[in-house]
Structure formats: structure tokens, C-alpha cells
Amino acid sequence: MEKDFLFQKKVRCAVCGEEFLEKVVRTARLRRLQPDFDLRPRFRDIDTIKYDVYSCPHCGYTALSRYFEPLTKGQVQLILENISANFTPPQESAPEIYDYDTALARYEQALKCSTVKRAWTSELAYTCLKLSWLCRSMGEVLTEGGAEERARLKQKEEAYYKKAYEGFQKAISTEDFPIAGMDSLTLDYLMACIACHFKEYSYASRSVSNILGSQTADRRMKDKALDLKDVIVKAIKEEAAKKNA
Ligand SMILES: [Zn+2]
């Protein structure tokens, strides 16, 4: 049962100072499944991505848990003026588990708050990456709505994925590692995967070369990079063949 993986954690809001209870995943209980090609984590019986956002029910301030605090005084002011001033606290208590629509709304509020508080590019990029992964999960479990709903989710997933891709490119050249908790090799690998998705093979090749030429990458990482290199080389050949056809 999904609720058995969760516990309530007391969080103090970085904006209004009120305390609230947030649902957090008990990591010790998780059974890891094979992640997606781009490292999207997957677990048996629960989609942990749904629970990676903190949202204050008193003032509306919302962010990915890793970015919830600290805030500067200026950022608190920006949230108070642009988010809290128009926020109506929910009438009902929070549900026991989050359905995907609720999770999506919380993530979109997190993205809005990140923009309002002028967060680092990496925070925006990481929030967009998680949003695109959430849309992917929603598409996978979709039983109603049919083709139209599926297409709408796919479009959303792609749009957030693109924003994440562009944001991380900018973050790599302007911020210090770790970026969104990732070292440079992990982010190179992730970016190579995303670049492949967008058929940006020269960017993907560069990222893979960074890993293969690294002194610190371990064997496992280099093997994964080599596998990806094969995919890239094959895709470039196919693209070339299509152009010449
Ligand atoms: Zn608050």
C-alpha cells in the first residue's frame, strides 16, 4: 500500500514561519526497480517523485524539498508579495496519499515559486526535469481519457524536458558542482541522454567524451557511457542515411 511507505514530517515554513506536516517517503522500505534510460528512479508499489515537494498550506510557498530552504530576506519578500498575497489556504485536510493530479499541481506551484523567488537556474532546471518525469509516470498509468489525454501529457512532458535541458546547459556554465545534488559526471550522463532524446548528437557526444576521458569516473560509469556512445554513433549514421536517401 502506498500509504505504508509514507510518514509525516514536521516542517517549518521558510516564508511564514508556521509549522505543517508533510508526507515523506520511508526510503528504507523501498524496493528499487530498473531506472529509465535517463536515470528516472523507479520503485515497486510507489512513485516517490510524487512526494518530493514541500508545500506550506498557510502561505502557499512551495518548492522541491531540497530547495525549500534557506531563503534570503529578499526571496521571502518576493514570495509574500507574489504568492502568499493571493493564496487561499485549503479548506480540507490533505489526502492520505497524493494522486497524480494533486502531485502535478504541487510541482507546478513549486515551479511558479522558484520563478518568483528568482531561484538558481539549476533549481528551475531540476524542477522541470522532475515535472517531465511526473508527466511520464502519469502517461504510463493512464487508464481513462484515451489518446487525447495521452497526447496532452506527452506534450507537457516534452516541454518540461526541453526546459530542463536548456536550464542545465546554462547551469553547467554558470554554477559550481554539485548541481541539483549531481556531480559533473552524473550530470554529463543525464545531459547526454536528454540530448539524444532531442537528437542533439554533438552535445551528447561531448558529454559522453567528458565521462570517457575523466580520471575519476569508475568502470561502471564508463561502461554506461560506452553503451550510450554506441547509441549515439548508430543514431548519427541513421540520420545521415536518411538525409542521403
Ligand atoms: Zn508558509
Side-chain angles (χ1 to χ4, degrees):
M1 293 282 277
E2 185 160 326
K3 71 175 167 56
D4 299 332
F5 288 93
L6 303 172
F7 69 96
Q8 304 264 11
K9 183 186 166 184
K10 201 185 275 179
V11 178
R12 185 180 290 278
C13 177
V15 171
C16 70
E18 296 276 347
E19 283 185 345
F20 59 96
L21 290 173
E22 198 51 272
K23 293 182 211 346
V24 178
V25 176
R26 282 180 214 275
T27 46
R29 291 196 163 196
L30 294 176
R31 291 285 171 273
R32 196 174 275 280
L33 300 174
Q34 180 75 19
D36 279 356
F37 68 99
D38 62 358
L39 310 174
R40 178 181 70 133
R42 291 168 64 247
F43 298 94
R44 192 190 294 172
D45 299 327
I46 183 170
D47 184 356
T48 57
I49 295 171
K50 288 199 286 187
Y51 297 96
D52 205 9
V53 168
Y54 289 174
S55 184
C56 175
H58 305 286
C59 73
Y61 172 54
T62 305
L64 256 62
S65 55
R66 72 163 58 239
Y67 297 117
F68 196 71
E69 55 183 0
L71 297 181
T72 65
K73 277 186 183 162
Q75 286 179 314
V76 169
Q77 205 55 37
L78 285 167
I79 295 290
L80 286 173
E81 284 166 16
N82 299 287
I83 299 288
S84 311
N86 315 312
F87 179 74
T88 316
Q91 299 297 308
E92 298 149 21
S93 53
E96 239 179 1
I97 59 166
Y98 294 142
D99 59 22
Y100 274 110
D101 288 326
T102 305
L104 184 65
R106 290 165 62 86
Y107 266 93
E108 289 186 328
Q109 176 77 353
L111 185 60
K112 193 172 160 190
C113 288
S114 301
T115 310
V116 162
K117 75 180 182 191
R118 298 178 193 148
W120 290 85
T121 309
S122 54
E123 178 176 336
L124 290 160
Y126 194 54
T127 307
C128 286
L129 177 68
K130 290 252 170 156
L131 259 163
S132 76
W133 282 347
L134 191 73
C135 293
R136 190 187 299 167
S137 314
M138 288 175 85
E140 285 168 1
V141 299
L142 195 68
T143 49
E144 298 162 29
E148 209 169 298
E149 178 63 4
R150 204 172 294 276
R152 194 185 67 83
L153 281 170
K154 190 70 201 164
Q155 202 178 14
K156 241 181 170 155
E157 179 191 336
E158 290 289 321
Y160 285 129
Y161 212 47
K162 188 89 187 181
K163 277 191 185 166
Y165 179 57
E166 291 166 354
F168 278 129
Q169 281 188 37
K170 198 169 153 202
I172 287 171
S173 59
T174 54
E175 296 181 27
D176 295 326
F177 283 94
I179 288 176
M182 290 177 270
D183 60 22
S184 68
L185 293 169
T186 309
L187 189 53
D188 271 329
Y189 184 78
L190 171 69
M191 287 299 278
C193 295
I194 304 181
C196 274
H197 173 82
F198 288 118
K199 300 190 191 312
E200 301 216 349
Y201 298 118
S202 58
Y203 192 98
S205 300
R206 275 203 307 280
S207 302
V208 165
S209 301
N210 289 345
I211 300 169
L212 295 175
S214 158
Q215 306 274 330
T216 51
D218 59 17
R219 194 65 256 164
R220 206 181 125 262
M221 180 56 116
K222 289 203 178 183
D223 284 345
K224 276 170 69 174
L226 278 171
D227 288 345
L228 196 54
K229 190 179 172 185
D230 289 343
V231 172
I232 295 166
V233 169
K234 196 168 162 237
I236 291 174
K237 275 187 192 154
E238 279 172 7
E239 289 283 301
K242 245 189 257 169
K243 265 186 202 146
N244 294 332

